[in-house]
């Protein structure tokens, strides 16, 4: 099985992963990501084209696409999801959604040295702007217990916190009784980790999400009052 994974919840990233069977581990063939948070529309399509060329594959060789559905900013999520849907339609393959924070949870599970107490649950968090975080809470085995949510750092449950959100609000989290995981303090969700998480879910007989975006809050863009009046008349 050959899968293209895409995530644009923070930075733009894409990856090609291969498995021999549904219950086998994912092999990362190639990946790319940017450090920028505002260039998704310019870099995503060329990046995917580069991955296919690098590995000698075409869209027709793919079995499925997995795309991160957030939570994340409106513009970034729209770019990733629209790209995934368009490619799935063009290539005639299924497109699945996966919560982007699961990519960070996968990284936490894979890095037992950074986890410390492997019997303890954990939270992953990324920047939601407005001095808030997107976060989700997991059991020690990676089972999602709560979330995703958007809110202030003080609203997170007790325990260790992983991800770029933890790095931004370390002092506030520490004051809340949380332990910030240093090696993960600047980590964003990546397409490679998201694809590996999705393959793990499918291998265990689970189901992935539709491609409906998880915005969690209203857009900053507002319809001007004049336009609202015109549409009403």
């Amino acid at each position: 099985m050959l899968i293209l994974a895409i995530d644009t919840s923070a930075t733009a990233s894409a990856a090609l992963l291969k498995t021999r069977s549904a219950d086998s581990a994912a092999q990362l063939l190639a990946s790319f990501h940017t450090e920028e948070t505002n260039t998704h529309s310019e870099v995503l399509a060329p990046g995917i084209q580069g991955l296919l060329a690098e590995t000698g594959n075409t869209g027709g060789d793919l079995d499925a696409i997995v795309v991160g559905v957030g939570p994340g900013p409106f513009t970034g999520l729209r770019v990733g999801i629209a790209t995934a849907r368009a490619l799935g339609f063009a290539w005639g393959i299924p497109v699945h959604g996966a919560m982007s924070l699961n990519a960070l949870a996968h990284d936490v599970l894979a890095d037992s040295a950074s986890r410390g107490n492997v019997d303890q649950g954990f939270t992953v968090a990324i920047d939601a702007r407005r001095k808030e975080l997107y976060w989700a809470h997991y059991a020690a085995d990676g089972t999602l217990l709560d979330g995703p949510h958007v809110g202030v750092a003080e609203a997170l449950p007790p325990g260790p916190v992983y991800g770029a959100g933890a790095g931004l609000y370390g002092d506030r989290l520490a004051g809340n009784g949380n332990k910030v995981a240093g090696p993960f303090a600047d980590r964003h969700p990546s397409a490679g980790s998201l694809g590996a998480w999705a393959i793990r879910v499918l291998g265990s007989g689970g189901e992935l999400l539709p491609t409906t975006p998880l915005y969690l809050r209203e857009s900053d863009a507002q319809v001007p009052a004049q336009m609202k009046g015109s549409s009403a008349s």
Side-chain angles (χ1 to χ4, degrees):
M1 179 180 290
L2 185 64
I3 291 176
L4 170 65
I6 298 169
D7 190 80
T8 53
S9 60
T11 61
S13 64
L16 284 176
L17 302 99
K18 184 177 182 179
T19 59
R20 292 186 178 181
S21 62
D23 58 353
S24 62
Q27 176 189 358
L28 180 64
L29 300 181
S31 65
F32 95 93
H33 75 278
T34 67
E35 297 297 334
E36 304 295 328
T37 59
N38 59 354
T39 60
H40 301 55
S41 58
E42 291 88 354
V43 302
L44 186 58
I48 293 170
Q49 186 177 28
L51 292 181
L52 293 172
E54 178 184 344
T55 58
N57 290 291
T58 67
D61 298 322
L62 295 171
D63 295 294
I65 298 173
V66 175
V67 61
V69 294
F74 281 72
T75 302
L77 288 185
R78 281 198 296 266
V79 170
I81 293 172
T83 299
R85 289 173 176 172
L87 293 178
F89 177 79
W91 293 334
I93 57 175
V95 181
H96 306 287
M99 187 178 71
S100 299
L101 294 175
N102 289 338
L104 280 173
H106 173 271
D107 292 341
V108 173
L109 294 172
D111 191 352
S112 58
S114 294
R115 290 185 62 198
N117 181 3
V118 296
D119 296 324
Q120 186 177 16
F122 60 92
T123 300
V124 300
I126 60 174
D127 184 23
R129 303 172 186 175
R130 305 184 191 175
K131 298 183 179 180
E132 292 183 328
L133 298 171
Y134 294 122
W135 63 271
H137 186 62
Y138 297 82
D141 65 354
T143 301
L144 179 65
L145 297 178
D146 192 15
H149 298 292
V150 59
V152 296
E154 290 76 10
L156 270 62
V161 185
Y162 299 78
L168 282 174
Y169 299 108
D171 290 344
R172 289 170 57 186
L173 287 168
N176 193 45
N178 296 105
K179 178 183 177 182
V180 176
F184 284 79
D186 60 354
R187 186 79 60 91
H188 294 290
S190 70
S193 297
L194 187 76
W197 178 280
I199 288 170
R200 175 187 169 204
V201 170
L202 294 173
S204 64
E207 295 184 357
L208 297 176
L209 301 174
T211 59
T212 306
L214 298 171
Y215 291 133
L216 299 192
R217 64 186 179 198
E218 296 296 324
S219 171
D220 289 332
Q222 300 294 326
V223 177
Q226 265 187 327
M227 292 182 64
K228 288 182 179 179
S230 299
S231 61
S233 59

